[in-house]
Amino acid sequence: MHVITRRDRAFAAVLLGMAMAQLDGTVVVAALPTLARELDAGAAVVGVSAAYLLTVTIATPILARLGDLHGRRVVTLGSIAVFAAGSAACAVAPGIEALIAARAVHGVGGSGLIVGAIAALGELFDKAELIRRQGWQTALFAVSALGGPPVGGLLTGGPGWRWIFLLNLPLCVLAFVLGARGLPGRVADRPPRSFDVRGSLLVAVAGTAVVALGSVEGLARSPLWTPLLLGTAVLAGAGFVVVQRRSANPLIPPKVFADPVVARSVLVTALCGLALFGTFTYVSLVIAAGSDGDPARTGLLLTAMTAGQLAVSVSFAVLARRWPRMVPWGRLGCALGVVGLALLAVSPHVSGLATLIPGLALIGASFGLCASAYTLLGQSRAAIDVMGATMGAFSFARQAGGVLGVAVFGWLAVLVTGSLGKAGLTVVFAAAAFVMLAALCVSPRSAGEAVTSSSPVSSAS
């Protein structure tokens, strides 16, 4: 009979927190038309999604580093409390301005739940145990990411959109209780350090500019705002690099990138985010182009992505125990992404579904495999005292790459073809395939995986 340990409780708490945070990133999509009507929001309704995406992105490296300094337990429990407060505020919001503000708070909590969970798992489990449990994490991510819109639609059409947020509250209580009894606290012999405020502010500025470009179409296509936001992002990013080199306790310590395998994995994660997350907005358009625009058929075909991701999640969890080296798995994921995106690039010009369904399945598989392999590489190689900063770098790279990709691919399609018609969609997915090919070229090599730099925390004290 299996005895439930503190680590089991911690694992349950972080999975539940990740599920809530990821689900709430997409669950409001189906409710947006209703929100616009009931709250008389008009175009401002896009802020409901953009506010959450903004704070999730910019808070990720900040909360990750706070976890290194003060322990996973206090930061994760604090994130649960903030997430619950944001959920309650969303549920009772009297107007669109209040709802957008509440969603920003919501995103701060969601960011801490995601990156805190990934860092906590790296502290709690060794590589073999992480591989054994990885199937649960990736399957949960697939279901929560792609199941959000259907769940939001059911709740909006049933008891009402406010229940999207009210249902989080009992789940937050359960996650808090489990986390309080299982998550690791601050390592006793780790000396207290100051927090990098200047670096955090620069990350917030750069992240805000990138998210604005990727989530607000008017800004992304404006002859005034586009260069201004791009310039802001570049200058803030350059300033961040300078500050990190001079700071005694940087937000992302150079130690994070001292391991070339980790450094390359972060770069690959950014490129994968750009290619896979960045094209997700255009997937429904390419499906519609290949399925005569039938909404029901479009929704059905989207399940091919979910099927590909779930199939890889299950297979990876089993096969990686026998072949535990992550570099070949990551390279395979990149290769699947190249082929899948290339198939979607030609699908608008091919009759039938011969290229569309395999392409969707392969990009779903690519996302699942890349996310699993490179996250496990980071978790198994990062030093314990910078585990949060390392996982924060991975998460920020994936999120920022994704939101920037939405804008970049849209610009490219309009620049080359003048629209997002069939030719424009071919440009989008062909460009994404080249980005994935670049990820494959810069990904770590197997020879560098032999030595690891960390071991799991022995207790959850």
Side-chain angles (χ1 to χ4, degrees):
M1 180 178 177
H2 177 70
V3 178
I4 298 177
T5 65
R6 296 185 72 178
R7 292 186 182 185
D8 290 331
R9 289 193 289 269
F11 185 65
V14 298
L15 280 188
L16 185 56
M18 288 175 69
M20 289 190 296
Q22 290 163 352
L23 191 64
D24 276 52
T26 59
V27 73
V28 299
V29 171
L32 291 180
T34 302
L35 289 171
R37 184 178 63 254
E38 291 189 7
L39 300 179
D40 194 23
V45 76
V46 299
V48 175
S49 295
Y52 187 87
L53 178 61
L54 171 63
T55 51
V56 163
T57 302
I58 64 178
T60 290
I62 297 170
L63 293 176
R65 187 58 176 152
L66 286 173
D68 286 338
L69 299 176
H70 302 290
R72 307 298 162 209
R73 184 190 301 149
V74 65
V75 173
T76 301
L77 295 183
S79 297
I80 294 172
V82 171
F83 190 81
S87 296
C90 287
V92 300
I96 189 64
E97 295 84 0
L99 181 58
I100 291 173
R103 282 286 282 175
V105 174
H106 209 203
V108 173
S111 173
L113 292 179
I114 294 172
V115 73
I118 298 172
L121 292 173
E123 286 196 7
L124 288 166
F125 304 114
D126 61 19
K127 183 178 179 181
E129 186 65 13
L130 284 170
I131 290 173
R132 190 178 76 81
R133 295 176 185 251
Q134 185 64 32
W136 287 96
Q137 299 173 59
T138 311
L140 177 146
F141 186 89
V143 171
S144 58
L146 297 175
V151 171
L154 288 173
L155 291 173
T156 302
W161 62 267
R162 296 181 188 274
W163 281 92
I164 291 173
F165 307 107
L166 287 173
L167 288 180
N168 286 331
L169 300 181
L171 298 178
C172 286
V173 172
L174 178 58
F176 193 95
V177 171
L178 290 170
R181 300 182 63 188
L183 286 166
R186 183 177 177 274
V187 177
D189 59 356
R190 191 175 299 167
R193 298 176 182 177
S194 59
F195 185 69
D196 183 6
V197 176
R198 289 188 301 165
S200 300
L201 291 174
L202 287 167
V203 163
V205 172
T208 299
V210 170
V211 172
L213 284 171
S215 58
V216 182
E217 185 175 355
L219 295 177
R221 306 288 167 82
S222 167
L224 170 64
W225 285 104
T226 297
L228 182 60
L229 289 170
L230 276 176
T232 300
V234 170
L235 288 175
F240 177 76
V241 172
V242 172
V243 167
Q244 296 307 282
R245 288 178 175 177
R246 297 177 178 176
S247 174
N249 295 297
L251 186 67
I252 303 181
K255 185 178 182 180
V256 168
F257 301 105
D259 184 339
V261 173
V262 173
R264 282 178 173 251
S265 296
V266 172
L267 176 57
V268 172
T269 297
L271 293 172
C272 290
L274 186 71
L276 298 175
F277 272 125
T279 54
F280 188 76
T281 300
Y282 306 102
V283 166
S284 59
L285 298 178
V286 82
I287 291 175
S291 60
D292 301 321
D294 181 358
R297 198 178 186 194
T298 298
L300 182 62
L301 288 172
L302 274 172
T303 60
M305 285 182 62
T306 311
Q309 190 168 351
L310 290 176
V312 160
S313 301
V314 174
S315 302
F316 177 79
V318 174
L319 296 176
R321 298 181 201 178
R322 184 171 181 180
W323 294 285
R325 301 195 60 170
M326 292 296 106
V327 166
W329 287 110
R331 292 176 64 81
L332 175 61
C334 292
L336 293 177
V338 173
V339 177
L341 290 165
L343 287 173
L344 290 188
V346 302
S347 64
H349 310 284
V350 177
S351 60
L353 305 176
T355 59
L356 186 58
I357 291 178
L360 290 168
L362 286 173
I363 63 173
S366 173
F367 174 77
L369 201 50
C370 290
S372 298
Y374 291 114
T375 299
L376 275 166
L377 267 177
Q379 288 172 322
S380 62
R381 298 182 69 91
I384 291 298
D385 61 330
V386 293
M387 179 66 73
T390 304
M391 294 299 100
F394 275 86
S395 297
F396 183 78
R398 183 183 299 114
Q399 291 161 357
V403 295
L404 185 60
V406 174
V408 168
F409 292 132
W411 295 337
L412 190 60
V414 172
L415 179 66
V416 174
T417 70
S419 72
L420 281 170
K422 290 185 177 182
L425 291 171
T426 294
V427 170
V428 166
F429 286 97
F434 278 109
V435 172
M436 284 300 294
L437 183 61
L440 178 60
C441 292
V442 302
S443 61
R445 300 298 190 265
S446 296
E449 194 181 352
V451 180
T452 58
S453 59
S454 64
S455 57
V457 173
S458 59
S459 68
S461 62

